[in-house]
Amino acid sequence: MAVSAFQSLPGFRDFLPRDFAVRQYLHETWRATARRHGFVEYETPLLEDTELYLKKSGGELSTQLFRFEDQGGRDITLRPEVTASLARLAADHQRHFPKPLKWFEIGQCFRYEKPQKGRGREFFQFNVDLLGESSAVADAELLSVAIDTMRAFGFAKEDYQVRVSDRQAWANFANQRGLDSEQLAQFLQIVDKLERDKAEVLESKLAALGLTLTEVQAFIADPANASESYRILLADLAARGLAEFVRWDLSIVRGLAYYTGLVFEVFDAKNSMRAVAGGGRYDTLISTISDGKVDLPATGFAMGDYVIRNLIEETPHALMQMEVWLQRHQAGCDVYVVVDREEHRADALRLITSLRTAGVAVDYALTSAKLGKQLQRAEQSGARLALIVGEDASRYTAKILSSRSETSFAANDVVEAVVEFLQGPDGPLLA
Amino acid sequence: MAVSAFQSLPGFRDFLPRDFAVRQYLHETWRATARRHGFVEYETPLLEDTELYLKKSGGELSTQLFRFEDQGGRDITLRPEVTASLARLAADHQRHFPKPLKWFEIGQCFRYEKPQKGRGREFFQFNVDLLGESSAVADAELLSVAIDTMRAFGFAKEDYQVRVSDRQAWANFANQRGLDSEQLAQFLQIVDKLERDKAEVLESKLAALGLTLTEVQAFIADPANASESYRILLADLAARGLAEFVRWDLSIVRGLAYYTGLVFEVFDAKNSMRAVAGGGRYDTLISTISDGKVDLPATGFAMGDYVIRNLIEETPHALMQMEVWLQRHQAGCDVYVVVDREEHRADALRLITSLRTAGVAVDYALTSAKLGKQLQRAEQSGARLALIVGEDASRYTAKILSSRSETSFAANDVVEAVVEFLQGPDGPLLA
């Protein structure tokens, strides 16, 4: 593979045209879903003051930073996630916008992790955030985006599950048992690993806090522990016809320190992958970032591009939908212009320019080539029409490449006729 | 402005929704133009092995790198430009694609420069490259993309100029005067500064190579020195009706070392800014990057987002076109659903979900708000329709916000009626 004297860095992807088209499919689907829900797009910088991330995220993330000193001696970091920057932006600019803010970002993030299936050192993340509303109805609107995103990718209800929890329920649990806030933080880390750690390990960690695994499991199992926020959330989702997509599950707490209330994760139905998406309330983060100057309740979620792509590729109906999209969007052009003899090249260039000016995507052989070779290239290009510029200056022969049939267009209105053809059953223009 | 305890780094931009929409306008216009010309999109990584850039670009660029050591001890750099990565990609993968490759990338690049008007420490660059064709007809196709890009932004012929030159002409000049290849490289650096350096400085630099400013100026002034490649380029552009957009100008040589033949730059007509775009042939770069294993002639150009945005903002007809686009694309939603009393909220949520499922972008007040407040928010949102969910479950009152007129839709086919309304003269759906 590596012919060049250089290789891409481990965990970094080259997006060749097909991979780029897959990426566009993911991004365009994310974008369309967010916009259907009335969210508008923004983007924060790829590099920030390192302190911003240390102050906000802490924990595991701070060991995975692409962190360095720039030529001006600044301690800077490639963003490992977007929420810290969003909090900075919101603190500085929120007063210019009516509330709530419904904002989304599709951006690349960087973490120095071991590259493996479902994880690279860079990834794209779809971030959807709703700032300025503390009621759980805001979380319902976010869950609606998450569920609609899965629907837009072609997933059926059976393909995935959304598990919702509330850190407030655990805060009450901890409070009743006399834990302080530091112990609560430790406790949440233990709950976060309930499904992964062995029972002995869990038992011993919980014992240090004066708790038993049995009482924790009993608390999780009792539906009466569902929080009031969850009830509001569920009633709102029920009105949308979406209640059946979510279930209460106190074992979900999310890793990051800053969550304050409702949290949720989306999993594949087999639960064989990392979470497809996750998020929750972070009502105090903007206050933290602004040293208390702005107090704005907030909730949000993120979906990365690795896991969703794997899940699409492992789900036949979602994969088929993507393939249909790719077939349509990967074509190099709408029309391939064939020059039958070199003395007609100037005519062909004129035609090509007119078609492009009308919005048609056109390709052609740059230099002299046999007719058969040009028609072969036309097929490879994904064009739907090959237009042959030949002897008869008043008409062009046209080969319809999908049906391998032939027609012709009068030269004097060829642009209109081609546009009309392309707007027909063969689908919309590329450009 | 800065309420938060953090600031964005100098030279790095926060794209708030309006700035993001401007950025989308630039990117979508670039993308559509490239696709009309049969180019397909790819993207290379943001980080690469530093050596890739040192080997290829050298010179000034190598002093402006965001360069650092990662946790694995690698010497890595945030890309200052895209062509080096493209050469790596082409060397490794070209054999899987029919030639020529017509590829484009829209990507962010990073240079540690002094932030000022028209220049930041990050910028987006539109890179259009054509690999595998050595004839100047390939350069003509590229120039057609560059000119069509300007047209697509609404610029008239009088707003800008394209100056074309050929390093081969200077190589012949140098050869006739007995300069070796190192002296030629020095000489080209002098020519590159002809318009900026003082005559005395130029005279003294040229004298060191045994040349005079007079003979250099005479060589530039003589149209007979136009190269054969330029003649081929011009004939091709003439057939497209584009010859009048370009002029021969030997004072253009481009700064980077790797150019080998035709080079060009696009300037604003007043020549008051940095070049809007620039590029040229780099027939030996892929061979250099692959240690001679792949030999692929290549030509390409790049356009950054800073200068073109400034030029649009200073050109009234181009600015107006952008504003019209922004007005259409910045709206938060198509339809704002108004909940007249809280007992109708469940009905409203059901309606909202149905509209979104049909592809309509919908927003609404998350919590109880007065009717007037909701209608005000509907206007702010940019929606074209406010749908009021009220007492009569069989009909919805609809306010057409552009004309401030009122109509109503039957509840049983409201989704179809709203979609039809939005596809009418009020323009296409957002999502």
Side-chain angles (χ1 to χ4, degrees), chain B residues 259-396:
Chain B
Y259 289 111
T260 56
L262 286 172
V263 288
F264 75 93
E265 292 188 351
V266 180
F267 292 94
D268 65 294
K270 289 187 229 145
N271 203 5
S272 64
M273 303 177 180
R274 301 175 89 188
V276 176
R281 268 212 172 261
Y282 51 98
D283 284 343
T284 56
L285 180 64
I286 294 168
S287 174
T288 304
I289 294 282
S290 65
D291 289 339
K293 280 181 229 126
V294 176
D295 191 11
L296 206 61
T299 180
F301 80 89
M303 179 183 286
D305 66 339
Y306 267 94
V307 179
I308 192 75
R309 181 174 177 175
N310 287 345
L311 189 56
I312 289 169
E313 288 172 345
E314 292 180 12
T315 309
H317 42 281
L319 179 59
M320 185 178 301
Q321 176 183 311
M322 180 168 86
E323 292 293 346
V324 169
W325 192 95
L326 290 177
Q327 201 164 17
R328 192 155 220 149
H329 287 78
Q330 242 193 308
C333 60
D334 298 309
V335 171
Y336 197 95
V337 168
V338 173
V339 188
D340 84 333
R341 286 213 310 278
E342 278 307 294
E343 59 260 44
H344 301 130
R345 181 165 291 273
D347 291 341
L349 288 171
R350 201 172 309 117
L351 171 65
I352 289 164
T353 304
S354 306
L355 287 167
R356 287 172 174 171
T357 302
V360 180
V362 186
D363 205 359
Y364 67 102
L366 289 166
T367 54
S368 172
K370 291 213 173 100
L371 196 67
K373 184 89 194 283
Q374 290 183 65
L375 285 169
Q376 187 194 354
R377 189 65 210 267
E379 297 227 7
Q380 289 170 339
S381 76
R384 275 158 290 157
L385 215 53
L387 269 184
I388 303 171
V389 179
E391 208 54 57
D392 182 354
S394 72
R395 294 199 78 79
Y396 300 110

Side-chain angles (χ1 to χ4, degrees), chain A residues 259-280:
Chain A
Y259 289 112
T260 54
L262 285 172
V263 287
F264 75 92
E265 293 188 353
V266 180
F267 293 93
D268 65 294
K270 287 186 234 149
N271 203 7
S272 64
M273 303 177 180
R274 302 176 87 186
V276 176

Side-chain angles (χ1 to χ4, degrees), chain A residues 3-4 14-15 23 36-37 43 46 88 92 99 102 108 141 240 356 362-364 377, chain B residues 3-4 14-15 23 36-37 43 46 88 92 99 102 108 141 240 356 362-364 377:
Chain A
V3 171
S4 103
D14 286 325
F15 290 94
R23 166 176 146 181
R36 274 200 296 277
H37 283 76
E43 195 179 350
L46 268 127
R88 173 178 65 71
D92 283 348
K99 307 294 168 310
K102 294 173 76 173
Q108 209 165 5
E141 175 75 342
R240 303 175 195 240
R356 287 172 174 171
V362 186
D363 205 358
Y364 65 104
R377 189 66 210 266
Chain B
V3 171
S4 104
D14 285 326
F15 290 93
R23 166 177 146 181
R36 275 200 295 278
H37 283 76
E43 194 178 350
L46 267 127
R88 174 178 65 70
D92 284 348
K99 309 293 167 314
K102 294 173 75 173
Q108 209 165 3
E141 176 75 343
R240 302 175 194 239
R356 287 172 174 171
V362 186
D363 205 359
Y364 67 102
R377 189 65 210 267

